[in-house]
Structure formats: structure tokens, C-alpha cells
Amino acid sequence: MNIHFFKYQGTGNDFVILDNRDGRYTGLTEEQIKGLCDRRFGVGGDGLMMLQVQEGYDFAMQYYNSDGRPGSMCGNGGRCLTAFAWKMGIHQEHIHFIASDGPHEATLEGEDWVNLRMKNVDSVETDPAFFYLNTGSPHYVQYVSQLSGFEVYEKGRSIRYNERFKAVGTNVNFVEPMPAENGIFVRTYERGVEDETYSCGTGVTAAALTYAGPEARTYTIPVKTLGGNLVVKFNKTGPHTYEDIWLCGPAKLVFEGNIALD
Ligand SMILES: N[C@H](CCC[C@H](N)C(=O)O)C(=O)O
């Protein structure tokens, strides 16, 4: 089978994207998706997404992690798929799509900057050592010092596979405040990739929410990742409740091509 693919990246979180509006790629197997995401034997990506038709929406987002299995919501993926939908002719000032965690709204600024509305958050588990919350995907958030030299892979992996999380898994974010920028630096170990990625949109969102002060008001938090900069804007409405959450940043086409699958 010949596959025509598009490769996108958003702050270095990279994805293979397929236009599946006619259903031609619906039968791809877990092994085939894993193979397409393989950086040596395939196209390479942290995940694969399909652009799908969905009545009542501009499109549906079907997301798979690089292990070939369906993942939960992917923030950078949603931004990249929005840029791709625009390229495919879905030209709306406000784009509405449905993903595994429900409806999303997105706007573009130019061709490769996407603002993506994330689902509201109505609870956060707070522990002296960490926060745990769901921004479309589950995220463990821990503040550390000297994040540049931190062992994200080893420490992230040990949390992801601990007694509590090993069955279902979790994404694990390590966060360091950047006082001069009034922002944060975030590094993430991703479930389903089972490695550190250059950026994780739902993780960056989760980390930014935990960085807000105690006051209920709107916040704008700049976030640095290994792959570039994002901005998270939201309205904190109570001690653990957040609404009108927007993840904003670049989403770019890298290349497109064809690959034959056996
Ligand atoms: N990279 C993604 C997160 C993918 C979620 C996935 N790792 C899972 O837990 O299923 C993001 O930008 O939000």
C-alpha cells in the first residue's frame, strides 16, 4: 500500500499526518502505525494523526502514539493538525474539531502559528511533591531545580512505571520557574513514546496551570521547551478550576512524501 504522508512539528514534537477524509487509511494496523513513526525504518514521529470527517465539526482528530496505539489528547498534535486542515482547504476563522477528549476550537495567525483551546480543568490533585491533573491527557507535574541537567528519562520512567501508574501510564513533566520571564521551563517524559520528547502540549498546559498564583484571574504564562517556546493563557476560576485555556505556538510542515507499506 502506498501512503502519502505529511510530516509536521510543533516545538519539536513531531507527527506523521495522513489525510483520511476518504477513509483510505482506516485499516492501518498498530504495527504499521508504529513502523511509520519509526525514525530509522519509517518516516519518524512522536505520533501519527489522521484528519477525519466528522459531521457537525470541521474535522475529527485521530491520534496515535509512536507505539502504534491510540493516545489521549495531544496538544501539539492538535495544533499541527489544525495547520494541516488549513493547508487542505478547511479555511474557517474559528476551526472546530473533535478529539478523544471532546470538542476543540482553534485559530491560526499566519500559516504556522496556532492557538488551540484545551478542555476545562476542574480538579487538580496536590501533593507536597507533585501535582496530578488531566488536560486531555494525564500529567504528573514535579518542580525541580537545574532542569537542564536533570535526568528526565530515568526519573520520568521510574514514575511512569511505579505502582500507581504502571497499568495505565502517565506523562511526567519536570518544571523549573524562569523568574526573569515570569514563565517556566518544562521537560516531559511521554507515555506511548516512552521517552522524553522535545515538547508536550498537554504537559506544558498542565505545568502552566500549576504555576498560576493563588488569585482567581486570567494568566499568560510563557513556556520554554527543548524544541521552542509556547504560551499558555487561561482563566483561573477557583483553587483548582481553570477555564478558557489556550495553548499557543508554532506548527510547521516539515516535508511530505510517499512511503510503501508491505
Ligand atoms: N505530545 C502530546 C501528548 C500526547 C499524549 C500521549 N503521550 C498520551 O498520554 O497518550 C501533546 O503535545 O500534548
Side-chain angles (χ1 to χ4, degrees), residues 129-200:
F130 64 86
F131 297 92
Y132 189 64
L133 62 159
N134 192 307
T135 51
S137 279
H139 286 281
Y140 183 103
V141 176
Q142 185 185 330
Y143 283 74
V144 300
S145 53
Q146 289 166 344
L147 182 55
S148 314
F150 195 78
E151 295 162 316
V152 171
Y153 177 78
E154 291 78 7
K155 297 279 195 317
R157 197 171 173 80
S158 75
I159 293 165
R160 184 260 181 261
Y161 283 105
N162 72 16
E163 276 309 307
R164 173 173 177 184
F165 296 117
K166 69 179 177 197
V168 179
T170 184
N171 299 284
V172 182
N173 305 272
F174 298 103
V175 184
E176 181 171 47
M178 300 189 302
E181 288 85 355
N182 238 328
I184 48 177
F185 176 30
V186 181
R187 291 178 63 188
T188 307
Y189 174 97
E190 265 193 56
R191 161 181 86 166
V193 180
E194 302 311 339
D195 203 350
E196 179 177 16
T197 56
Y198 276 16
S199 170
C200 174

